[in-house]
Amino acid sequence: MSELLLPPEHRYAKIIQERHNEDGSELSILNLGPTHPATHGIFQNILLMDGEKILEAEPTIGYIHRAFEKIAENRPFYQITPLTDRMNYCSSPINNMGWWMTLEKLLGVEVPKRAQYLRVIVMELARITDHLICNSILGVDTGAYTGFLYVFQFREKVYEIYEEICGARLTTNMGRIGGFERDWSPKAFELLNTFLIDFPIAWKEFENLFERNRIFIDRTVNVGAITAEKAMAYGFTGPNLRAAGVDYDVRVAQPYSSYEDFDFIVPVGKSGDTYDRFCVRNAEVWESISIIKQALAKMPEGNEFHADVPEYYLPPKEDVYHNMESLIYHFKIVMGEIPVPVAEIYHPVEGGNGELGFYLVTDGSRTPYRLHFRRPCFIYYQAYPEMIKGALLSDAIVILSSLNVIAGELDA
Amino acid sequence: MALETIEIQEKLVATFGSAVFQFDQEKDIFSFEVDADKITAVILFLKNDPTLRFHFLTDLCGIHYPDNEEERQFAVVYHLHNWYENKRIKIKSFINGAKPEIKTISNIFLSSNWMERETWDFFGINFIGHPQLKRILNMDEMISHPMRKEFPMEDSGRTDKDDRFFGRTTINS
């Protein structure tokens, strides 16, 4: 049976041959993935199993690799946002904003306070959807479908807000250098306010459904635990690291987009197991709701939604037709002929899964010389084989979904 | 007391002399270059020194500079972060273009394992001593290293699409 799946020189084949269990049973190989409904994405793991226990795992990744870094080297700066959308597609506005902030750091653009607050709101909405999906899918994987369907409608509500802001839903391509492409409509604020009233009620119910649920606790406590030291060695960041008890959060360590103006706590877990990861994400959703409310309350007056940087910010279309300067700027921006300083920039943002970093090297030309994305999923997924060692197959599925590995971000 | 960049620089120069050079504050990040053969020693020192404590490897990636002299055609870039003092540094190490190789740091930082595999996959930089240096995102049968500058992004025979007309080439001409 096993030789059908693996070439004879594979190291598992040797282990199977040499191992003799006392009861006469044999080790077996299980091919988990690449496409399996329970893996939520395209990951392959070749598992060496003793009965239902996993002895070793060998992950293969790269099934949806789309060479974003190579494409980025051949695209003007403003054409790179659509690429960032497709990395962590559960929270694409965070990726978009992170990319614009990298460029703003490079060009020295100062973003008006109101635009920064709007960014904070949209990034926190993205964090809510990201955590909402992760936690509800974790519920599905442990057999609780209802909670998922119940909160999933609120992701729709958030997507309706995105739609009001930028016209797109999943891959948002939102924002411009210096702010947003247009001011938020009154409808967007209206939808946002309705969301802030309805969502906490549903989220509370969702939380009640799981937090003290005997079956859920049995399935998740002490499953896939990782110590803080190990997690840091493996490069964990974000909720998965905080679940292990390390309170590292880029929003606090290196505040960007005025995060220092808001009052929020960084929830931490203790044991780093699946249950703690669930609880940390849960608590972060509450913090995100609170940040959005604070941002709305503190929102500066006026309707400024972008910085005054005509070299980088597309002028309104009417001006392009009637005004020479606008026409020149429009042409230069669209043709990618904006002057760019020669520099090396690293800008981190707190993505849904951890520190999302943009390392940008420019040489003064219209495209990046080198752009590297520090993708949190890619870095922490390498701990997965170790985390599932000794676990049951059903636990491996639960651990995978609690880590929230997004295939798009993993493979870039 | 916050960790000053000058302190990092003095400590490194006192320990490694001329192997570390080109100290520079680039925007918000302190950066320097290290001779490729000293890289593991420098990173181990930065990690274990009781005052420096750069205990977290944020990022590792490669860069290709085909226009440089042969000794400096590839660079490996390490981003380290000290969470206690909230200090980031960037280390750059240039390596030979004809035979790009550098020692692995996967025994210092577990997280660098896949990042080094990715760099090998895309640039063909050989990390000496890496436990399992094979391709990670591209398929095993591939022979080229696609992030090198000479590797074309698209099939050069394509005629249906000319990037020059869409402002999409790297050079302004």
mmCIF file of all heavy atoms in Angstrom, chain A residues 226-253 265-273 276-277 280 284 350 354-355, chain B residues 55-56 81-84:
data_model
loop_
_atom_site.group_PDB
_atom_site.id
_atom_site.type_symbol
_atom_site.label_atom_id
_atom_site.label_comp_id
_atom_site.label_asym_id
_atom_site.label_seq_id
_atom_site.Cartn_x
_atom_site.Cartn_y
_atom_site.Cartn_z
ATOM 1 N N ILE A 226 2.567 25.018 22.128
ATOM 2 C CA ILE A 226 3.950 25.371 21.810
ATOM 3 C C ILE A 226 4.419 26.359 22.874
ATOM 4 O O ILE A 226 3.668 27.242 23.282
ATOM 5 C CB ILE A 226 4.065 25.920 20.370
ATOM 6 C CG1 ILE A 226 5.519 26.105 19.978
ATOM 7 C CG2 ILE A 226 3.271 27.197 20.160
ATOM 8 C CD1 ILE A 226 5.742 26.181 18.486
ATOM 9 N N THR A 227 5.642 26.162 23.351
ATOM 10 C CA THR A 227 6.138 27.052 24.399
ATOM 11 C C THR A 227 6.553 28.386 23.796
ATOM 12 O O THR A 227 6.790 28.492 22.588
ATOM 13 C CB THR A 227 7.365 26.445 25.097
ATOM 14 O OG1 THR A 227 8.380 26.282 24.103
ATOM 15 C CG2 THR A 227 7.062 25.116 25.727
ATOM 16 N N ALA A 228 6.658 29.386 24.655
ATOM 17 C CA ALA A 228 7.024 30.723 24.174
ATOM 18 C C ALA A 228 8.403 30.708 23.524
ATOM 19 O O ALA A 228 8.606 31.323 22.475
ATOM 20 C CB ALA A 228 6.984 31.708 25.334
ATOM 21 N N GLU A 229 9.358 29.982 24.134
ATOM 22 C CA GLU A 229 10.727 29.954 23.587
ATOM 23 C C GLU A 229 10.724 29.357 22.190
ATOM 24 O O GLU A 229 11.325 29.887 21.259
ATOM 25 C CB GLU A 229 11.664 29.125 24.476
ATOM 26 C CG GLU A 229 11.979 29.735 25.818
ATOM 27 C CD GLU A 229 10.842 29.585 26.808
ATOM 28 O OE1 GLU A 229 10.110 28.579 26.714
ATOM 29 O OE2 GLU A 229 10.663 30.480 27.650
ATOM 30 N N LYS A 230 10.033 28.226 22.083
ATOM 31 C CA LYS A 230 9.985 27.530 20.801
ATOM 32 C C LYS A 230 9.289 28.416 19.762
ATOM 33 O O LYS A 230 9.724 28.501 18.618
ATOM 34 C CB LYS A 230 9.199 26.231 20.994
ATOM 35 C CG LYS A 230 9.499 25.172 19.994
ATOM 36 C CD LYS A 230 10.659 24.335 20.439
ATOM 37 C CE LYS A 230 11.177 23.501 19.306
ATOM 38 N NZ LYS A 230 12.463 22.895 19.625
ATOM 39 N N ALA A 231 8.204 29.043 20.186
ATOM 40 C CA ALA A 231 7.445 29.873 19.248
ATOM 41 C C ALA A 231 8.307 31.021 18.733
ATOM 42 O O ALA A 231 8.291 31.338 17.547
ATOM 43 C CB ALA A 231 6.189 30.412 19.923
ATOM 44 N N MET A 232 9.099 31.624 19.639
ATOM 45 C CA MET A 232 9.953 32.724 19.191
ATOM 46 C C MET A 232 11.060 32.212 18.280
ATOM 47 O O MET A 232 11.417 32.853 17.299
ATOM 48 C CB MET A 232 10.538 33.456 20.392
ATOM 49 C CG MET A 232 9.537 34.378 21.044
ATOM 50 S SD MET A 232 10.299 35.534 22.154
ATOM 51 C CE MET A 232 10.549 34.527 23.574
ATOM 52 N N ALA A 233 11.601 31.028 18.618
ATOM 53 C CA ALA A 233 12.646 30.467 17.774
ATOM 54 C C ALA A 233 12.117 30.182 16.380
ATOM 55 O O ALA A 233 12.825 30.348 15.393
ATOM 56 C CB ALA A 233 13.189 29.189 18.397
ATOM 57 N N TYR A 234 10.873 29.777 16.294
ATOM 58 C CA TYR A 234 10.286 29.498 14.988
ATOM 59 C C TYR A 234 9.777 30.760 14.294
ATOM 60 O O TYR A 234 9.160 30.681 13.250
ATOM 61 C CB TYR A 234 9.136 28.496 15.125
ATOM 62 C CG TYR A 234 9.571 27.053 14.966
ATOM 63 C CD1 TYR A 234 9.382 26.128 15.973
ATOM 64 C CD2 TYR A 234 10.168 26.627 13.786
ATOM 65 C CE1 TYR A 234 9.776 24.806 15.820
ATOM 66 C CE2 TYR A 234 10.557 25.324 13.615
ATOM 67 C CZ TYR A 234 10.362 24.418 14.633
ATOM 68 O OH TYR A 234 10.756 23.124 14.464
ATOM 69 N N GLY A 235 9.983 31.896 14.906
ATOM 70 C CA GLY A 235 9.583 33.143 14.246
ATOM 71 C C GLY A 235 8.103 33.427 14.301
ATOM 72 O O GLY A 235 7.580 34.122 13.442
ATOM 73 N N PHE A 236 7.399 32.885 15.289
ATOM 74 C CA PHE A 236 5.974 33.192 15.439
ATOM 75 C C PHE A 236 5.803 34.675 15.755
ATOM 76 O O PHE A 236 6.603 35.261 16.478
ATOM 77 C CB PHE A 236 5.372 32.399 16.606
ATOM 78 C CG PHE A 236 4.935 31.004 16.257
ATOM 79 C CD1 PHE A 236 5.772 30.165 15.564
ATOM 80 C CD2 PHE A 236 3.687 30.536 16.641
ATOM 81 C CE1 PHE A 236 5.376 28.873 15.264
ATOM 82 C CE2 PHE A 236 3.279 29.245 16.343
ATOM 83 C CZ PHE A 236 4.120 28.416 15.654
ATOM 84 N N THR A 237 4.750 35.248 15.221
ATOM 85 C CA THR A 237 4.339 36.584 15.636
ATOM 86 C C THR A 237 2.815 36.566 15.662
ATOM 87 O O THR A 237 2.196 35.588 15.268
ATOM 88 C CB THR A 237 4.814 37.664 14.649
ATOM 89 O OG1 THR A 237 4.598 37.181 13.333
ATOM 90 C CG2 THR A 237 6.261 38.016 14.827
ATOM 91 N N GLY A 238 2.247 37.654 16.096
ATOM 92 C CA GLY A 238 0.789 37.767 16.046
ATOM 93 C C GLY A 238 0.083 36.910 17.081
ATOM 94 O O GLY A 238 0.675 36.508 18.069
ATOM 95 N N PRO A 239 -1.199 36.615 16.844
ATOM 96 C CA PRO A 239 -2.013 35.909 17.842
ATOM 97 C C PRO A 239 -1.422 34.558 18.252
ATOM 98 O O PRO A 239 -1.540 34.157 19.410
ATOM 99 C CB PRO A 239 -3.354 35.695 17.141
ATOM 100 C CG PRO A 239 -3.367 36.585 15.990
ATOM 101 C CD PRO A 239 -1.979 36.958 15.655
ATOM 102 N N ASN A 240 -0.760 33.873 17.325
ATOM 103 C CA ASN A 240 -0.218 32.559 17.658
ATOM 104 C C ASN A 240 0.900 32.664 18.683
ATOM 105 O O ASN A 240 1.063 31.799 19.532
ATOM 106 C CB ASN A 240 0.310 31.867 16.404
ATOM 107 C CG ASN A 240 -0.790 31.599 15.417
ATOM 108 O OD1 ASN A 240 -1.951 31.462 15.810
ATOM 109 N ND2 ASN A 240 -0.444 31.556 14.158
ATOM 110 N N LEU A 241 1.683 33.726 18.598
ATOM 111 C CA LEU A 241 2.738 33.929 19.586
ATOM 112 C C LEU A 241 2.140 34.423 20.892
ATOM 113 O O LEU A 241 2.508 33.967 21.974
ATOM 114 C CB LEU A 241 3.755 34.948 19.067
ATOM 115 C CG LEU A 241 4.848 35.310 20.066
ATOM 116 C CD1 LEU A 241 5.809 34.157 20.229
ATOM 117 C CD2 LEU A 241 5.602 36.536 19.635
ATOM 118 N N ARG A 242 1.186 35.341 20.791
ATOM 119 C CA ARG A 242 0.585 35.886 22.004
ATOM 120 C C ARG A 242 -0.135 34.796 22.793
ATOM 121 O O ARG A 242 -0.193 34.847 24.016
ATOM 122 C CB ARG A 242 -0.362 37.032 21.648
ATOM 123 C CG ARG A 242 0.378 38.245 21.124
ATOM 124 C CD ARG A 242 -0.482 39.464 21.084
ATOM 125 N NE ARG A 242 -1.372 39.480 19.941
ATOM 126 C CZ ARG A 242 -1.074 39.982 18.755
ATOM 127 N NH1 ARG A 242 0.099 40.526 18.556
ATOM 128 N NH2 ARG A 242 -1.936 39.962 17.773
ATOM 129 N N ALA A 243 -0.656 33.789 22.102
ATOM 130 C CA ALA A 243 -1.301 32.679 22.801
ATOM 131 C C ALA A 243 -0.293 31.930 23.667
ATOM 132 O O ALA A 243 -0.656 31.318 24.667
ATOM 133 C CB ALA A 243 -1.938 31.731 21.801
ATOM 134 N N ALA A 244 0.993 31.992 23.280
ATOM 135 C CA ALA A 244 2.020 31.336 24.080
ATOM 136 C C ALA A 244 2.495 32.229 25.214
ATOM 137 O O ALA A 244 3.337 31.824 26.012
ATOM 138 C CB ALA A 244 3.195 30.945 23.192
ATOM 139 N N GLY A 245 2.007 33.453 25.305
ATOM 140 C CA GLY A 245 2.297 34.300 26.453
ATOM 141 C C GLY A 245 3.271 35.431 26.204
ATOM 142 O O GLY A 245 3.715 36.061 27.153
ATOM 143 N N VAL A 246 3.609 35.720 24.957
ATOM 144 C CA VAL A 246 4.516 36.831 24.671
ATOM 145 C C VAL A 246 3.691 37.982 24.118
ATOM 146 O O VAL A 246 2.972 37.821 23.145
ATOM 147 C CB VAL A 246 5.591 36.420 23.646
ATOM 148 C CG1 VAL A 246 6.578 37.548 23.437
ATOM 149 C CG2 VAL A 246 6.301 35.173 24.094
ATOM 150 N N ASP A 247 3.794 39.145 24.763
ATOM 151 C CA ASP A 247 2.896 40.235 24.386
ATOM 152 C C ASP A 247 3.504 41.128 23.310
ATOM 153 O O ASP A 247 3.523 42.342 23.432
ATOM 154 C CB ASP A 247 2.509 41.065 25.609
ATOM 155 C CG ASP A 247 3.703 41.754 26.232
ATOM 156 O OD1 ASP A 247 4.835 41.308 25.961
ATOM 157 O OD2 ASP A 247 3.527 42.733 26.973
ATOM 158 N N TYR A 248 4.005 40.522 22.254
ATOM 159 C CA TYR A 248 4.583 41.322 21.176
ATOM 160 C C TYR A 248 3.510 41.643 20.142
ATOM 161 O O TYR A 248 2.878 40.756 19.589
ATOM 162 C CB TYR A 248 5.751 40.575 20.524
ATOM 163 C CG TYR A 248 6.297 41.290 19.317
ATOM 164 C CD1 TYR A 248 6.995 42.471 19.470
ATOM 165 C CD2 TYR A 248 6.094 40.800 18.040
ATOM 166 C CE1 TYR A 248 7.489 43.149 18.372
ATOM 167 C CE2 TYR A 248 6.590 41.470 16.933
ATOM 168 C CZ TYR A 248 7.282 42.643 17.116
ATOM 169 O OH TYR A 248 7.764 43.315 16.014
ATOM 170 N N ASP A 249 3.320 42.914 19.907
ATOM 171 C CA ASP A 249 2.341 43.376 18.930
ATOM 172 C C ASP A 249 2.935 44.588 18.235
ATOM 173 O O ASP A 249 3.342 45.544 18.893
ATOM 174 C CB ASP A 249 1.040 43.756 19.667
ATOM 175 C CG ASP A 249 -0.082 44.077 18.693
ATOM 176 O OD1 ASP A 249 0.205 44.696 17.656
ATOM 177 O OD2 ASP A 249 -1.240 43.726 18.982
ATOM 178 N N VAL A 250 3.005 44.554 16.914
ATOM 179 C CA VAL A 250 3.637 45.652 16.183
ATOM 180 C C VAL A 250 2.896 46.968 16.429
ATOM 181 O O VAL A 250 3.487 48.039 16.461
ATOM 182 C CB VAL A 250 3.693 45.354 14.669
ATOM 183 C CG1 VAL A 250 4.483 46.415 13.931
ATOM 184 C CG2 VAL A 250 4.305 44.008 14.411
ATOM 185 N N ARG A 251 1.583 46.881 16.621
ATOM 186 C CA ARG A 251 0.794 48.101 16.847
ATOM 187 C C ARG A 251 1.261 48.842 18.101
ATOM 188 O O ARG A 251 1.110 50.051 18.202
ATOM 189 C CB ARG A 251 -0.679 47.744 17.006
ATOM 190 C CG ARG A 251 -1.319 47.257 15.741
ATOM 191 C CD ARG A 251 -2.748 46.828 15.994
ATOM 192 N NE ARG A 251 -2.824 45.657 16.846
ATOM 193 C CZ ARG A 251 -3.954 45.152 17.316
ATOM 194 N NH1 ARG A 251 -5.101 45.727 17.026
ATOM 195 N NH2 ARG A 251 -3.945 44.076 18.074
ATOM 196 N N VAL A 252 1.810 48.074 19.054
ATOM 197 C CA VAL A 252 2.293 48.701 20.283
ATOM 198 C C VAL A 252 3.793 48.963 20.193
ATOM 199 O O VAL A 252 4.277 50.027 20.586
ATOM 200 C CB VAL A 252 1.981 47.787 21.485
ATOM 201 C CG1 VAL A 252 2.529 48.389 22.759
ATOM 202 C CG2 VAL A 252 0.485 47.558 21.595
ATOM 203 N N ALA A 253 4.530 48.000 19.668
ATOM 204 C CA ALA A 253 5.982 48.124 19.639
ATOM 205 C C ALA A 253 6.425 49.229 18.702
ATOM 206 O O ALA A 253 7.365 49.970 18.998
ATOM 207 C CB ALA A 253 6.604 46.798 19.213
ATOM 208 N N ILE A 265 -5.768 46.799 24.928
ATOM 209 C CA ILE A 265 -4.865 45.857 25.556
ATOM 210 C C ILE A 265 -4.449 44.808 24.535
ATOM 211 O O ILE A 265 -5.141 44.571 23.550
ATOM 212 C CB ILE A 265 -5.475 45.184 26.810
ATOM 213 C CG1 ILE A 265 -6.787 44.503 26.459
ATOM 214 C CG2 ILE A 265 -5.629 46.160 27.939
ATOM 215 C CD1 ILE A 265 -7.259 43.525 27.502
ATOM 216 N N VAL A 266 -3.292 44.202 24.805
ATOM 217 C CA VAL A 266 -2.819 43.123 23.950
ATOM 218 C C VAL A 266 -3.115 41.824 24.694
ATOM 219 O O VAL A 266 -2.439 41.496 25.661
ATOM 220 C CB VAL A 266 -1.307 43.264 23.687
ATOM 221 C CG1 VAL A 266 -0.815 42.118 22.829
ATOM 222 C CG2 VAL A 266 -1.021 44.580 23.013
ATOM 223 N N PRO A 267 -4.142 41.096 24.280
ATOM 224 C CA PRO A 267 -4.484 39.877 25.008
ATOM 225 C C PRO A 267 -3.402 38.809 24.835
ATOM 226 O O PRO A 267 -2.881 38.637 23.732
ATOM 227 C CB PRO A 267 -5.798 39.418 24.362
ATOM 228 C CG PRO A 267 -5.992 40.238 23.165
ATOM 229 C CD PRO A 267 -5.010 41.328 23.131
ATOM 230 N N VAL A 268 -3.054 38.146 25.914
ATOM 231 C CA VAL A 268 -2.088 37.052 25.814
ATOM 232 C C VAL A 268 -2.674 35.792 26.443
ATOM 233 O O VAL A 268 -3.498 35.845 27.342
ATOM 234 C CB VAL A 268 -0.741 37.361 26.508
ATOM 235 C CG1 VAL A 268 0.043 38.369 25.731
ATOM 236 C CG2 VAL A 268 -0.944 37.791 27.934
ATOM 237 N N GLY A 269 -2.216 34.653 25.931
ATOM 238 C CA GLY A 269 -2.605 33.370 26.494
ATOM 239 C C GLY A 269 -1.511 32.870 27.406
ATOM 240 O O GLY A 269 -0.645 33.628 27.834
ATOM 241 N N LYS A 270 -1.519 31.597 27.677
ATOM 242 C CA LYS A 270 -0.535 31.060 28.594
ATOM 243 C C LYS A 270 0.155 29.824 28.012
ATOM 244 O O LYS A 270 1.368 29.761 27.947
ATOM 245 C CB LYS A 270 -1.230 30.695 29.907
ATOM 246 C CG LYS A 270 -0.324 30.820 31.104
ATOM 247 C CD LYS A 270 -1.138 30.690 32.367
ATOM 248 C CE LYS A 270 -0.256 30.767 33.604
ATOM 249 N NZ LYS A 270 -1.056 30.598 34.812
ATOM 250 N N SER A 271 -0.620 28.872 27.581
ATOM 251 C CA SER A 271 -0.041 27.582 27.219
ATOM 252 C C SER A 271 0.282 27.469 25.738
ATOM 253 O O SER A 271 0.982 26.551 25.341
ATOM 254 C CB SER A 271 -1.001 26.466 27.606
ATOM 255 O OG SER A 271 -2.216 26.643 26.930
ATOM 256 N N GLY A 272 -0.211 28.394 24.915
ATOM 257 C CA GLY A 272 0.069 28.312 23.494
ATOM 258 C C GLY A 272 -0.622 27.165 22.800
ATOM 259 O O GLY A 272 -0.193 26.738 21.726
ATOM 260 N N ASP A 273 -1.686 26.628 23.378
ATOM 261 C CA ASP A 273 -2.400 25.551 22.699
ATOM 262 C C ASP A 273 -3.538 26.113 21.848
ATOM 263 O O ASP A 273 -3.741 27.329 21.774
ATOM 264 C CB ASP A 273 -2.909 24.503 23.709
ATOM 265 C CG ASP A 273 -3.886 25.087 24.701
ATOM 266 O OD1 ASP A 273 -4.245 26.257 24.537
ATOM 267 O OD2 ASP A 273 -4.260 24.376 25.642
ATOM 268 N N ASP A 276 -6.011 28.394 23.604
ATOM 269 C CA ASP A 276 -5.498 29.738 23.871
ATOM 270 C C ASP A 276 -5.481 30.590 22.615
ATOM 271 O O ASP A 276 -5.766 31.784 22.668
ATOM 272 C CB ASP A 276 -4.095 29.666 24.471
ATOM 273 C CG ASP A 276 -4.143 29.476 25.972
ATOM 274 O OD1 ASP A 276 -5.227 29.127 26.460
ATOM 275 O OD2 ASP A 276 -3.113 29.680 26.638
ATOM 276 N N ARG A 277 -5.138 29.961 21.514
ATOM 277 C CA ARG A 277 -5.146 30.724 20.257
ATOM 278 C C ARG A 277 -6.558 31.200 19.948
ATOM 279 O O ARG A 277 -6.764 32.337 19.514
ATOM 280 C CB ARG A 277 -4.601 29.862 19.106
ATOM 281 C CG ARG A 277 -3.100 29.710 19.134
ATOM 282 C CD ARG A 277 -2.573 29.142 17.846
ATOM 283 N NE ARG A 277 -2.747 27.713 17.744
ATOM 284 C CZ ARG A 277 -1.905 26.812 18.239
ATOM 285 N NH1 ARG A 277 -0.814 27.193 18.851
ATOM 286 N NH2 ARG A 277 -2.133 25.530 18.111
ATOM 287 N N VAL A 280 -7.332 34.101 22.383
ATOM 288 C CA VAL A 280 -6.614 35.339 22.064
ATOM 289 C C VAL A 280 -7.269 36.034 20.885
ATOM 290 O O VAL A 280 -7.513 37.246 20.906
ATOM 291 C CB VAL A 280 -5.121 35.041 21.783
ATOM 292 C CG1 VAL A 280 -4.458 36.206 21.080
ATOM 293 C CG2 VAL A 280 -4.387 34.738 23.072
ATOM 294 N N GLU A 284 -9.063 39.633 20.826
ATOM 295 C CA GLU A 284 -8.593 40.676 19.909
ATOM 296 C C GLU A 284 -9.733 41.279 19.120
ATOM 297 O O GLU A 284 -9.692 42.458 18.769
ATOM 298 C CB GLU A 284 -7.541 40.108 18.952
ATOM 299 C CG GLU A 284 -6.174 40.105 19.572
ATOM 300 C CD GLU A 284 -5.097 39.690 18.600
ATOM 301 O OE1 GLU A 284 -5.297 39.827 17.385
ATOM 302 O OE2 GLU A 284 -4.058 39.220 19.076
ATOM 303 N N GLU A 350 0.986 45.038 11.788
ATOM 304 C CA GLU A 350 0.427 43.877 12.456
ATOM 305 C C GLU A 350 -0.689 43.323 11.573
ATOM 306 O O GLU A 350 -1.795 43.838 11.565
ATOM 307 C CB GLU A 350 -0.098 44.262 13.843
ATOM 308 C CG GLU A 350 -0.699 43.133 14.646
ATOM 309 C CD GLU A 350 0.315 42.127 15.165
ATOM 310 O OE1 GLU A 350 1.499 42.467 15.326
ATOM 311 O OE2 GLU A 350 -0.096 40.975 15.411
ATOM 312 N N GLY A 354 0.161 38.142 12.176
ATOM 313 C CA GLY A 354 1.439 38.500 12.766
ATOM 314 C C GLY A 354 2.114 39.597 11.987
ATOM 315 O O GLY A 354 1.464 40.311 11.221
ATOM 316 N N GLU A 355 3.414 39.721 12.213
ATOM 317 C CA GLU A 355 4.137 40.841 11.624
ATOM 318 C C GLU A 355 4.264 40.669 10.118
ATOM 319 O O GLU A 355 5.002 39.819 9.642
ATOM 320 C CB GLU A 355 5.524 40.961 12.262
ATOM 321 C CG GLU A 355 6.304 42.114 11.697
ATOM 322 C CD GLU A 355 7.617 42.349 12.410
ATOM 323 O OE1 GLU A 355 7.690 42.057 13.611
ATOM 324 O OE2 GLU A 355 8.558 42.811 11.769
ATOM 325 N N HIS B 55 17.351 38.690 19.740
ATOM 326 C CA HIS B 55 16.954 37.291 19.879
ATOM 327 C C HIS B 55 15.931 36.853 18.840
ATOM 328 O O HIS B 55 15.496 35.733 18.848
ATOM 329 C CB HIS B 55 16.344 37.075 21.263
ATOM 330 C CG HIS B 55 15.008 37.723 21.375
ATOM 331 N ND1 HIS B 55 14.858 39.073 21.270
ATOM 332 C CD2 HIS B 55 13.770 37.211 21.510
ATOM 333 C CE1 HIS B 55 13.574 39.369 21.361
ATOM 334 N NE2 HIS B 55 12.887 38.261 21.507
ATOM 335 N N PHE B 56 15.498 37.763 17.973
ATOM 336 C CA PHE B 56 14.431 37.386 17.044
ATOM 337 C C PHE B 56 14.840 37.698 15.611
ATOM 338 O O PHE B 56 15.220 38.822 15.288
ATOM 339 C CB PHE B 56 13.147 38.150 17.384
ATOM 340 C CG PHE B 56 11.940 37.645 16.638
ATOM 341 C CD1 PHE B 56 11.294 36.497 17.040
ATOM 342 C CD2 PHE B 56 11.457 38.329 15.526
ATOM 343 C CE1 PHE B 56 10.189 36.029 16.348
ATOM 344 C CE2 PHE B 56 10.351 37.860 14.835
ATOM 345 C CZ PHE B 56 9.716 36.712 15.253
ATOM 346 N N HIS B 81 15.731 41.642 15.457
ATOM 347 C CA HIS B 81 14.914 42.516 16.303
ATOM 348 C C HIS B 81 15.149 42.161 17.770
ATOM 349 O O HIS B 81 15.134 40.990 18.130
ATOM 350 C CB HIS B 81 13.430 42.310 15.946
ATOM 351 C CG HIS B 81 12.535 43.386 16.474
ATOM 352 N ND1 HIS B 81 11.217 43.464 16.141
ATOM 353 C CD2 HIS B 81 12.763 44.425 17.290
ATOM 354 C CE1 HIS B 81 10.671 44.501 16.739
ATOM 355 N NE2 HIS B 81 11.590 45.103 17.446
ATOM 356 N N ASN B 82 15.392 43.181 18.565
ATOM 357 C CA ASN B 82 15.506 43.002 20.001
ATOM 358 C C ASN B 82 14.208 43.494 20.630
ATOM 359 O O ASN B 82 13.936 44.687 20.632
ATOM 360 C CB ASN B 82 16.724 43.814 20.491
ATOM 361 C CG ASN B 82 16.815 43.896 21.999
ATOM 362 O OD1 ASN B 82 15.877 43.572 22.717
ATOM 363 N ND2 ASN B 82 17.956 44.332 22.480
ATOM 364 N N TRP B 83 13.400 42.581 21.138
ATOM 365 C CA TRP B 83 12.085 42.971 21.649
ATOM 366 C C TRP B 83 12.178 43.636 23.016
ATOM 367 O O TRP B 83 11.286 44.384 23.401
ATOM 368 C CB TRP B 83 11.148 41.756 21.749
ATOM 369 C CG TRP B 83 10.685 41.271 20.419
ATOM 370 C CD1 TRP B 83 10.883 41.888 19.218
ATOM 371 C CD2 TRP B 83 9.935 40.085 20.146
ATOM 372 N NE1 TRP B 83 10.300 41.144 18.218
ATOM 373 C CE2 TRP B 83 9.724 40.049 18.755
ATOM 374 C CE3 TRP B 83 9.435 39.062 20.936
ATOM 375 C CZ2 TRP B 83 9.021 38.999 18.142
ATOM 376 C CZ3 TRP B 83 8.737 38.038 20.327
ATOM 377 C CH2 TRP B 83 8.533 38.004 18.949
ATOM 378 N N TYR B 84 13.249 43.340 23.756
ATOM 379 C CA TYR B 84 13.382 43.948 25.085
ATOM 380 C C TYR B 84 13.538 45.456 24.970
ATOM 381 O O TYR B 84 12.938 46.223 25.717
ATOM 382 C CB TYR B 84 14.587 43.366 25.820
ATOM 383 C CG TYR B 84 14.602 41.860 25.883
ATOM 384 C CD1 TYR B 84 15.385 41.127 24.992
ATOM 385 C CD2 TYR B 84 13.839 41.175 26.826
ATOM 386 C CE1 TYR B 84 15.402 39.747 25.043
ATOM 387 C CE2 TYR B 84 13.851 39.798 26.868
ATOM 388 C CZ TYR B 84 14.627 39.082 25.976
ATOM 389 O OH TYR B 84 14.635 37.724 26.022
#
